[in-house]
Amino acid sequence: MQVSGLRARPFLAVAPETETGVTGGAQSPDGARRSPQTERFSGGKPGARMESGADTAARDAQFELREFLRSVSGLERLEKCGLAVLAGGVTPVIRNGRAGFAGVVTCGSVHVCPCCSTSIRRVRQDELEQVGEFWECQSCGLVMMTLTMRHYERDALADLVEKQRAAWKRAFGMNAGRAWRTAKTTFGVRGFVRAWEVTHGSNGWHVHFHVLLFLARPLNSVQVADLQHLAFEVWADALVSVGARMPVEISEKDGKPVAVRIDAPDRGESGKLARYLMKGQDGKTRWGVAAELTRQDVKQGQGGHRTPFEIARDAAAGDARSVELWREFVKSAVGIRALYWSNGLRALLKEMGFELDDRKDGQVAADEASAGTPLACIPSATWYRHIARHKGRALALLHAAEKGGAVAVRALIESWGLTWGLDVLEPEVLPEGADPTADEVLVSMERANKAARLKVWRDEFDRIDRERRASRIVRQAPGAWEARKEAQAAADAAHESDGPENFLSHLHRMRREALAAR
């Protein structure tokens, strides 16, 4: 979806600097002149905020859950996550009291890996919180639109996801009709951020979208109701056209919206707009819009519904049905974007002065895992033989690092019968920025593998060529070439002087003589 008016008329116009050094106000998405901002917002900082001495129980549970999911998910990248070494060795690191590993593969799967999901969603949540605050500072508006569809227990998740995706394209995406295109102009929709979410309950899989709409101006309650009704009509028509069931607009039980619901924040709450007021795991946390869009790793379902990671935890506890549901979820979720930005919105925010985090999910997970002070260097041979193969040792290393730093790590290493300085080395301190990222290491490894394969092929071709040349020399005895040349000359002379019969007999005789001379 293109941002309306972005290419025809830039939304940000910065006045030239005056003699006093003060710039003029920026132009907001609705075209009005705003006062200059003294604070610069930015969400693109590697390493999300992390409280010192934070409780590590959740992290430990994620490690144990990932250990179980490796065996039931059927994903190669998940099987390697946290175990496979990128290059050389593994480095335990610590940052703000929390330990991690640098130098190991991170799968970057936001849907199926409990460890990578937490890192990615934490960073995206921090960024969205800042985006919401920044957008409100420009006197613009935000609303949250939730889109659901009717479903039953017999519906397969893959079928629901396919119809959901097709309905989105028809209703609000690239194939949107005139009704929504007109609504975008009427209500000042400048872009959106869409999050995909799925839960499972007694009525089967429940897939839905949370869509954060960026508006040129705030809407009053009447305008919100009008936008909600119009969005329902567009969404309902799209669902029916793709073969899904006709949705319900208003519930007969409580009179609340069902298929489409739009929530608007109060003034000053755009950065913490909540889809549900009480959504934390402890039942007390007030969840903001960023958490609603991103934090599926810690959310709990309501009304008997389970989130995917709740299903995974039940599967790890021995529930066979949950194992089947998890595998069904993995097949449908892999490849789906957890967070999707509409075309042009990121460019618009950058033009307005907000620097977004341009890293991909895999890079975010790798940076979050490797950020910190190095405590040791574990060569790959030691890692695979003495740590990765032993369940619980990797997590024990993190506990030791968090409790006693490098001293505790060394004591634990030696308690396993390993020698410090031989099996495990002192950490190599690199200048800032010199440590390659996971993507850079993988690219360099791929290039090195290609070069090695090409060298093997070239060496083999050279060897075959040399053997062929040597075999030709061995087969030809000394004087054989001269004898063959004389026989050919005699045959040519006989052909000129004799008839065909004499020529053939003469040729046979010369060949026999040549063979005898070898």
Side-chain angles (χ1 to χ4, degrees):
M1 181 188 299
Q2 296 290 336
V3 178
S4 177
L6 178 60
R7 300 190 182 278
R9 175 175 56 88
F11 293 137
L12 181 66
V14 181
E17 188 172 352
T18 62
E19 295 180 358
T20 59
V22 180
T23 59
Q27 190 173 357
S28 71
D30 62 353
R33 184 68 61 177
R34 307 299 184 196
S35 60
Q37 298 296 324
T38 59
E39 181 179 0
R40 184 176 183 83
F41 292 80
S42 176
K45 296 180 179 180
R49 296 189 300 269
M50 186 178 297
E51 297 179 2
S52 177
D55 183 19
T56 60
R59 190 272 316 279
D60 296 350
Q62 292 160 6
F63 265 65
E64 295 174 357
L65 182 59
R66 182 177 61 180
E67 184 77 21
F68 168 77
L69 295 179
R70 289 193 182 106
S71 60
V72 300
S73 300
L75 291 178
E76 182 180 2
R77 61 180 181 176
L78 182 58
E79 294 173 359
K80 294 181 178 181
C81 184
L83 288 181
V85 181
L86 283 174
V90 178
T91 302
V93 297
I94 189 165
R95 172 169 58 95
N96 294 339
R98 293 289 296 273
F101 291 116
V104 294
V105 169
T106 49
C107 66
S109 178
V110 70
H111 292 303
V112 302
C113 179
C115 297
C116 292
S117 177
T118 299
S119 300
I120 296 168
R121 293 182 185 277
R122 185 193 302 121
V123 172
R124 302 307 187 204
Q125 176 185 353
D126 291 344
E127 182 178 45
L128 281 174
E129 288 285 358
Q130 296 181 55
V131 168
E133 295 172 2
F134 171 80
W135 192 259
E136 187 181 45
C137 286
Q138 313 305 311
S139 299
C140 303
L142 280 174
V143 295
M144 170 84 80
M145 179 172 66
T146 303
L147 305 173
T148 63
M149 52 191 298
R150 294 177 62 187
H151 57 91
Y152 294 96
E153 187 177 6
R154 62 179 179 270
D155 293 331
L157 178 58
D159 183 56
L160 292 174
V161 170
E162 181 180 358
K163 292 177 179 177
Q164 180 195 36
R165 185 182 303 165
W168 170 268
K169 290 181 180 179
R170 284 179 174 267
F172 309 104
M174 62 181 66
N175 299 327
R178 180 179 299 177
W180 180 247
R181 294 199 302 268
T182 303
K184 287 170 59 180
T185 303
T186 302
F187 294 97
V189 178
R190 295 295 180 252
F192 65 85
V193 179
R194 188 191 69 203
W196 180 74
E197 183 178 339
V198 59
T199 58
H200 187 274
S202 58
N203 209 30
W205 292 105
H206 175 53
V207 296
H208 47 287
F209 285 132
H210 292 300
V211 187
L212 188 62
L213 296 178
F214 288 74
L215 310 175
R217 55 192 177 278
L219 302 181
N220 57 40
S221 58
V222 176
Q223 291 173 320
V224 170
D226 292 341
L227 178 59
Q228 179 174 281
H229 177 70
L230 187 146
F232 170 79
E233 293 183 342
V234 172
W235 180 241
D237 291 342
L239 286 174
V240 173
S241 65
V242 300
R245 298 178 179 88
M246 180 66 187
V248 177
E249 182 175 8
I250 302 296
S251 173
E252 297 180 355
K253 296 181 180 180
D254 52 16
K256 296 181 179 180
V258 180
V260 177
R261 174 174 175 171
I262 294 182
D263 296 290
D266 295 331
R267 183 65 181 171
E269 291 293 323
S270 291
K272 297 181 179 180
L273 172 64
R275 171 63 179 87
Y276 303 106
L277 295 181
M278 309 294 286
K279 198 63 174 179
Q281 276 208 332
D282 57 3
K284 300 177 182 180
T285 305
R286 178 180 174 86
W287 283 79
V289 59
E292 184 66 27
L293 287 172
T294 61
R295 296 310 301 275
Q296 293 303 302
D297 56 317
V298 296
K299 287 173 64 175
Q300 287 183 324
Q302 293 185 349
H305 286 75
R306 293 183 296 169
T307 65
F309 285 123
E310 285 182 314
I311 295 174
R313 287 191 285 269
D314 291 339
D319 183 20
R321 174 56 178 164
S322 295
V323 174
E324 296 177 0
L325 292 175
W326 173 257
R327 288 173 174 167
E328 183 181 3
F329 168 75
V330 170
K331 291 180 180 179
S332 300
V334 172
I336 297 180
R337 295 186 186 182
L339 210 62
Y340 176 78
W341 292 71
S342 63
N343 294 334
L345 179 57
R346 298 178 70 89
L348 173 61
L349 288 169
K350 184 176 182 179
E351 192 178 356
M352 295 172 65
F354 189 95
E355 295 293 336
L356 288 164
D357 189 345
D358 293 328
R359 294 176 297 166
K360 296 181 180 180
D361 288 350
Q363 187 62 52
V364 170
D367 291 344
E368 291 298 299
S370 61
T373 303
L375 303 177
C377 181
I378 306 174
S380 57
T382 303
W383 173 264
Y384 285 125
R385 182 177 300 176
H386 299 286
I387 299 177
R389 293 181 179 178
H390 298 268
K391 184 177 180 180
R393 282 195 172 183
L395 192 56
L397 269 177
L398 299 184
H399 289 164
E402 291 164 350
K403 291 180 180 179
V407 176
V409 169
R410 178 170 181 173
L412 180 61
I413 288 292
E414 292 177 343
S415 70
W416 293 338
L418 303 177
T419 302
W420 189 269
L422 181 62
D423 298 313
V424 179
L425 310 175
E426 292 287 344
E428 181 181 4
V429 180
L430 299 175
E432 186 176 356
D435 192 14
T437 64
D439 287 344
E440 292 172 345
V441 172
L442 291 175
V443 170
S444 62
M445 290 174 62
E446 183 178 0
R447 291 175 178 173
N449 290 335
K450 288 182 178 180
R453 288 196 297 268
L454 289 175
K455 186 177 184 302
V456 170
W457 279 103
R458 285 195 298 266
D459 293 344
E460 183 66 15
F461 286 143
D462 292 343
R463 184 188 65 81
I464 294 174
D465 186 58
R466 288 194 301 269
E467 290 181 354
R468 287 178 177 176
R469 291 175 181 270
S471 63
R472 291 174 184 173
I473 296 174
V474 170
R475 285 199 303 268
Q476 294 180 359
W481 172 251
E482 290 76 6
R484 186 181 303 173
K485 185 176 181 181
E486 293 176 359
Q488 183 64 39
D492 293 341
H495 177 68
E496 293 177 358
S497 59
D498 301 333
E501 294 81 2
N502 295 333
F503 166 71
L504 290 176
S505 61
H506 180 70
L507 179 60
H508 291 160
R509 184 176 67 254
M510 296 300 293
R511 285 182 176 176
R512 288 194 298 269
E513 292 176 357
L515 292 174
R518 292 186 178 183

